[in-house]
Amino acid sequence: MCGIVGYVGQRPAVDVLVRGLRRLEYRGYDSAGVAYFRGAAIEIQKSEGKLENVETLLSKLPAISDARCGIGHTRWATHGKPTTQNAHPHRTGHVVLVHNGIIENYQEIKQDLVKRGHRPVSETDSELFGFLVLEKMDAGRSLAVAVSESFREVTGACSVVVMSEKEPGTVIGVRNGSPLVAAVDPKGGVILASDAQPLLEYTRDVVFLEHGDMVVGDSRGIRFLSLQTGEPIQRATSTLDWSPAALDKQGYDHYMLKEIHEQPAAMVDTLNGLLDRASAESFPLAGQPAVELLKNAKRITIVACGTAWHASLMGKYWLEKWGQIPVSVELASEYRYRDPVVDAGTLVIGVSQSGETADTLAVIQELRKKGIPTLAVTNTRGSTLSREAQATVFTNAGPEIGVAATKTFSVQMLTLLCFAAFLGKQRGKTAEMDQIFAQLIRIPHLLGDYLDEKGTLRKAVRETARKLLLLKGFFFIGRGYCFPLALEAALKLKEIAYVHAEGYAAGELKHGPIAMIDQDIAVIVLAPNDAWREKTFSNLEEVKARGAQVLGVGNPSDESLQRVSHFWIPLPETGLHESLLPFVVTPVIQLLSYEIAVLKGTDIDKPRNLAKSVTVE
Ligand code: M6R
């Protein structure tokens, strides 16, 4: 979830860059840097850690306020540790760049570059792109041509902003997947960024680049070119009508929608807090109070309510698969009034966004008194749960205002996944866990692109919501990892749209609920490409045969699923391990409830009868 800013114009460039990066901090990052022209030479200041470190470096330099052109970056490490060396901007000869996204064929590119005598100094995929541009410029190409030709050699969704000492005062940006927004500075100049926030300080008229667009900013102003042909293209300006109140919501109509979109950043921040990102080890859980408790546990009981209970159910799948530990997941309101068999070998984990949910809290308080090991997973520092449990692991989703839990669901799942992977490594599954880790840290990038406001997901969901709106009931079905998601989907829909919805393990339908299926019922089939897909597909045919209106949610290349479904929402083509697919199915189910609620005109952020924090039993 890197952040990018680029500027050329009349203002002090470094100031514009740093202010812009501040506005992108919400995306989550672990290093930062800026590069700017001083005369015809480019200087770079970068550091691991927070933006303040870069500001400290800058404060010691003379006359940087003269700089009028530069680029800046906040990096969240995917390829290589979060060190100063790996921080952006990267210099390759006279070429300096920042990059957001992933170059998938970086290993092949690196091998070729090394064969041609180049010596990358960082561990990043990003730096390699600079070598490609450098070679082409040294062969006589302009910066713009060199950048577009270099893109023909890379695969993967990414955006870059590039400068060269051979063309002082020019900033070139490309969107080839990851979002990029451009605007004309009314004071004279051009500003680019990975989202609109840094631009809003200067103008509300912005251009959202399309995939395959190149933008050139220089003393002549702004130009858009096709990456493919190099020909000039026209791009319409959007005027962002953001009131001060909406700015709180960052332009989204509701907090819920904003929070759905914040999931990639919430995941980044949670991973930053949970793992030692500088460690070469995957899932080290460095310094986490959970470590000893997890290591000593013979079995785990998770207690939670509502959405947190669904995240915990998902956690059970991972903990059992990788951690090879028996797990039971309990509704706190039921568990507290039972006579459960629990001993000191059982680790009891309370999962709660607010950390104040009365039932969850009561279980933890009671069991701790009895000497049972207790661990809290919560998003709220200082919460009662975090004080009552023996140890606490915090999720870092930031404040969640919408009553419907969205981003906290994702980070609760993520945290339990990290526990499971940590235990997996303890039990010798190192290679498998390393592989999962390498994929996991790509998810925020993938999700960011999938959720991109101008992308196809939102449109597809909105259109489908319109068609399903008048049906009398909704069944979400799934197997394996998609069973907890089906439960969560139904809860979301009931909660904010006030319509009847059920979540079922798809194999359970024929044990009763299938009697309800007719042409007035929507069945939403969650069937990504995983081990359960074939079985779920058969269940789809059963409900279709009984007249249900079927919405398929599956892999984009799953033609048979698409063919038999009346409505279809494709997941992104990610190549992710099946156990990580819940993170990409989640936004679909959240957005579907959201769009249905919008059409119904309910009070989405404050649904009737509900409170964000349920402090009574
Ligand atoms: O704060 P908690 O995570 O303990 O809250 C638990 C439930 O009340 C909560 O998840 C509720 O179900 C949400 N409003 C669902 O969106």
Side-chain angles (χ1 to χ4, degrees):
M1 279 310 288
C2 306
I4 288 182
V5 186
Y7 181 74
V8 54
Q10 302 304 317
R11 301 176 197 262
V14 174
D15 187 44
V16 175
L17 299 176
V18 172
R19 292 165 78 94
L21 293 178
R22 278 253 168 273
R23 295 220 173 250
L24 295 176
E25 279 190 306
Y26 77 92
R27 298 163 75 99
Y29 67 104
D30 44 33
S31 63
V34 294
Y36 49 88
F37 275 96
R38 201 194 278 268
I42 298 174
E43 290 179 2
I44 299 176
Q45 308 297 335
K46 59 184 184 176
S47 171
E48 62 189 63
K50 291 292 164 192
L51 193 55
E52 288 87 61
N53 299 346
V54 178
E55 288 181 286
T56 306
L57 295 174
L58 291 167
S59 66
K60 295 179 185 148
L61 298 171
I64 48 164
S65 55
D66 294 348
R68 290 290 177 269
C69 177
I71 58 182
H73 191 264
T74 48
R75 169 177 189 252
W76 191 67
T78 53
H79 295 69
K81 298 179 205 73
T83 58
T84 300
Q85 179 95 300
N86 290 334
H88 300 216
H90 287 286
R91 172 189 285 281
T92 313
H94 51 81
V95 175
V96 175
L97 65 80
V98 292
H99 165 235
N100 177 19
I102 290 160
I103 296 177
E104 280 166 4
N105 57 337
Y106 77 101
Q107 269 160 332
E108 295 91 302
I109 293 177
K110 190 167 187 173
Q111 279 165 11
D112 290 348
L113 286 170
V114 170
K115 273 192 212 143
R116 297 203 291 272
H118 295 296
R119 295 286 172 267
V121 294
S122 76
E123 301 163 297
T124 65
D125 52 348
S126 316
E127 184 193 2
L128 307 178
F129 191 81
F131 282 103
L132 299 179
V133 177
L134 181 73
E135 282 186 335
K136 291 169 185 46
M137 286 189 81
D138 288 350
R141 310 281 200 284
S142 67
L143 178 59
V145 172
V147 169
S148 70
E149 286 184 1
S150 299
F151 262 100
R152 284 177 211 147
E153 295 174 39
V154 302
T155 57
C158 61
S159 57
V160 295
V161 179
V162 192
M163 307 189 294
S164 164
E165 285 167 344
K166 290 223 166 138
E167 295 187 22
T170 299
V171 175
I172 291 191
V174 172
R175 176 182 182 172
N176 196 40
S178 309
L180 199 62
V181 192
V184 172
D185 176 359
K187 272 202 167 174
V190 173
I191 177 162
L192 317 176
S194 38
D195 70 40
Q197 301 241 21
L199 280 51
L200 283 170
E201 209 164 307
Y202 311 102
T203 179
R204 287 174 181 223
D205 298 328
V206 305
V207 176
F208 291 96
L209 272 71
E210 307 282 340
H211 296 278
D213 284 0
M214 173 184 280
V215 56
V216 181
D218 58 21
S219 56
R220 286 183 286 161
I222 194 166
R223 296 189 302 290
F224 296 95
L225 307 173
S226 156
L227 189 59
Q228 197 70 32
T229 64
E231 293 298 315
I233 46 175
Q234 299 299 319
R235 284 287 169 251
T237 300
S238 313
T239 302
L240 299 177
D241 184 18
W242 288 2
S243 64
L247 270 178
D248 262 5
K249 295 183 199 155
Q250 291 163 4
Y252 293 104
D253 291 338
H254 298 94
Y255 282 107
M256 180 183 176
L257 186 60
K258 171 174 166 264
E259 286 155 6
I260 290 172
H261 282 258
E262 282 173 344
Q263 286 177 114
M267 291 178 72
V268 165
D269 287 342
T270 297
L271 285 172
N272 283 348
L274 197 57
L275 307 173
D276 174 3
R277 300 276 289 116
S279 164
E281 239 191 277
S282 61
F283 303 110
L285 285 190
Q288 287 298 329
V291 166
E292 287 310 310
L293 291 172
L294 282 170
K295 275 189 191 164
N296 296 334
K298 299 207 166 32
R299 66 199 77 77
I300 291 175
T301 294
I302 312 182
V303 290
C305 303
T307 290
W309 183 68
H310 298 149
S312 305
L313 281 177
M314 188 71 81
K316 174 181 166 79
Y317 283 78
W318 291 316
L319 282 159
E320 290 185 342
K321 180 182 170 66
W322 296 326
Q324 292 169 316
I325 187 164
V327 180
S328 68
V329 179
E330 305 283 351
L331 288 167
S333 54
E334 286 295 310
Y335 189 79
R336 70 183 282 200
Y337 296 113
R338 285 205 332 247
D339 291 318
V341 179
V342 54
D343 61 21
T346 308
L347 171 63
V348 179
I349 306 179
V351 179
S352 169
Q353 172 277 131
S354 61
E356 303 295 346
T357 297
D359 289 318
T360 309
L361 202 50
V363 174
I364 294 295
Q365 282 167 328
E366 183 127 338
L367 292 180
R368 190 166 179 201
K369 268 189 233 146
K370 291 184 178 161
I372 308 296
T374 53
L375 175 65
V377 172
T378 179
N379 199 47
T380 312
R381 284 179 163 69
S383 57
T384 315
L385 187 67
S386 71
R387 283 182 275 118
E388 294 289 333
Q390 199 174 329
T392 300
V393 169
F394 290 103
T395 55
N396 286 330
E400 189 175 69
I401 311 291
V403 164
T406 52
K407 59 180 178 173
T408 54
F409 176 62
S410 285
V411 296
Q412 285 164 350
M413 290 195 294
L414 182 65
T415 302
L416 295 171
L417 183 149
C418 289
F419 289 177
F422 171 76
L423 287 177
K425 288 191 75 175
Q426 298 282 307
R427 286 147 172 68
K429 298 179 179 225
T430 310
E432 197 184 339
M433 293 304 96
D434 286 351
Q435 207 198 348
I436 294 292
F437 183 74
Q439 295 196 11
L440 177 75
I441 58 172
R442 289 179 52 208
I443 292 179
H445 287 286
L446 295 168
L447 264 191
D449 292 344
Y450 188 44
L451 279 166
D452 175 15
E453 190 63 4
K454 292 189 69 121
T456 47
L457 171 64
R458 182 89 195 276
K459 195 160 159 259
V461 172
R462 198 181 285 144
E463 277 165 15
T464 311
R466 217 169 275 135
K467 290 172 186 151
L468 298 181
L469 183 67
L470 295 176
L471 295 177
K472 74 170 190 242
F474 292 76
F475 276 69
F476 291 86
I477 62 168
R479 286 169 177 249
Y481 300 111
C482 285
F483 168 46
L485 292 180
L487 295 175
E488 173 61 7
L491 172 63
K492 281 291 88 94
L493 192 55
K494 282 187 271 220
E495 183 179 22
I496 61 165
Y498 319 149
V499 296
H500 180 241
E502 304 269 4
Y504 266 95
E508 269 296 293
L509 282 182
K510 57 173 88 61
H511 297 286
I514 203 164
M516 290 183 68
I517 302 295
D518 62 22
Q519 67 286 353
D520 294 325
I521 298 286
V523 179
I524 294 98
V525 183
L526 307 177
N529 263 3
D530 59 19
W532 296 272
R533 187 260 173 215
E534 294 309 315
K535 300 267 177 223
T536 310
F537 190 86
S538 309
N539 301 130
L540 182 164
E541 301 204 279
E542 289 158 11
V543 291
K544 196 173 173 204
R546 285 154 182 89
Q549 298 294 307
V550 173
L551 163 59
V553 178
N555 191 279
S557 55
D558 193 338
E559 283 171 18
S560 45
L561 183 63
Q562 179 171 9
R563 210 169 27 248
V564 299
S565 304
H566 299 101
F567 311 104
W568 169 242
I569 298 180
L571 296 167
E573 190 76 69
T574 58
L576 289 175
H577 188 277
E578 64 177 24
S579 55
L580 299 177
L581 291 174
F583 293 102
V584 291
V585 179
T586 293
V588 177
I589 59 173
Q590 294 168 337
L591 282 173
L592 185 65
S593 317
Y594 174 81
E595 295 295 350
I596 293 177
V598 168
L599 292 170
K600 292 203 72 187
T602 58
D603 189 352
I604 291 177
D605 285 331
K606 293 194 215 84
R608 66 187 182 201
N609 309 336
L610 294 176
K612 182 69 185 161
S613 182
V614 185
T615 53
V616 292
E617 65 172 291

